[in-house]
Amino acid sequence: AGSGKSTTAADYSAKHENAFLVSCSEDMKRGDFIREMARVIGVNVSDMSLRAALERVTKYLLSLDSPLLIFDEGDKLPDVVFYYFITIYNRLEGHCGIIFISTNYIKRRMECGLSYNKKGYDEIHSRICRKFIELTPANSYEVTAVARANGISDEKTIKAVVKDAATCAFDMRRVRREIHKHKRLATLK
């Protein structure tokens, strides 16, 4: 949490054609999930069954050049929706990149699902190559780079942002707030 995953995914999908960010949540039902995918990629699925809607979404993605689906906060999906990952992967394998962004809770969830032999978990684990890519926490160098990229050039201000970030394990939400605070203060001067 706080490493900048969602912000990075949103920025990437906004800047790259055929990259689509699907925001997931724990209260999503199967229909909500399919409709959100359709909305994000720009496909109309109103008045369609879930099966037909998923078919339309996957066919559209297959028609694109190098599409990428980014599922943000996928670890929050209930199992009944989580299982759609298997179908989506099977239909798009070799044609569409799929990124599943979540906190490290997904690793624990997978381990529990696998240890209890829960339906679908071994299939999902296989499709992610039985591997998780863990992000390293930000550090002072990265916070400095973020501050500079956001227009802060004064060394004293950068050091203040880095010092504040160090008190909260370099949480990027805190860094963003601190940068905005210093930028507002600079406009008042």
Side-chain angles (χ1 to χ4, degrees), residues 162-178:
V162 170
K163 183 178 178 181
D164 183 73
T167 66
C168 60
F170 297 100
D171 186 301
M172 296 308 283
R173 285 185 185 91
R174 178 79 169 258
V175 170
R176 178 177 50 215
R177 281 188 220 120
E178 193 68 11

Side-chain angles (χ1 to χ4, degrees), residues 31-176:
D32 301 329
F33 179 71
I34 299 302
R35 281 189 296 279
E36 178 62 11
M37 278 182 53
R39 184 193 68 74
V40 166
I41 67 170
V43 172
N44 182 6
V45 295
S46 60
D47 300 328
M48 296 181 91
S49 69
L50 292 181
R51 181 183 212 80
L54 182 58
E55 188 66 26
R56 181 172 281 175
V57 165
T58 55
K59 277 187 177 181
Y60 179 74
L61 288 166
L62 288 169
S63 75
L64 299 176
D65 183 39
S66 302
L68 175 65
L69 281 173
I70 305 169
F71 296 103
D72 190 22
E73 298 190 10
D75 58 327
K76 292 185 169 79
L77 291 172
D79 278 353
V80 71
V81 180
F82 192 54
Y83 300 146
Y84 266 124
F85 180 68
I86 299 166
T87 304
I88 292 165
Y89 182 93
N90 289 346
R91 291 187 183 174
L92 300 173
E93 183 178 11
H95 183 75
C96 179
I98 299 173
I99 298 175
F100 201 81
I101 299 174
S102 69
T103 63
N104 59 3
Y105 171 74
I106 191 64
K107 188 173 182 181
R108 182 170 178 257
R109 180 178 175 181
M110 288 298 296
E111 288 169 353
C112 288
L114 291 167
S115 70
Y116 286 106
N117 201 26
K118 285 181 77 173
K119 175 182 106 174
Y121 276 75
D122 191 48
E123 291 177 86
I124 294 169
H125 200 221
S126 170
R127 281 156 182 79
I128 63 168
C129 300
R130 305 187 189 284
K131 181 180 177 182
F132 299 90
I133 299 169
E134 295 187 31
L135 300 177
T136 56
N139 57 37
S140 61
Y141 174 80
E142 290 161 334
V143 171
T144 299
V146 169
R148 288 186 195 283
N150 280 277
I152 296 179
S153 56
D154 175 60
E155 291 301 319
K156 185 177 175 183
T157 304
I158 291 172
K159 285 181 183 179
V161 171
V162 170
K163 183 178 178 181
D164 183 73
T167 66
C168 60
F170 297 100
D171 186 301
M172 296 308 283
R173 285 185 185 91
R174 178 79 169 258
V175 170
R176 178 177 50 215

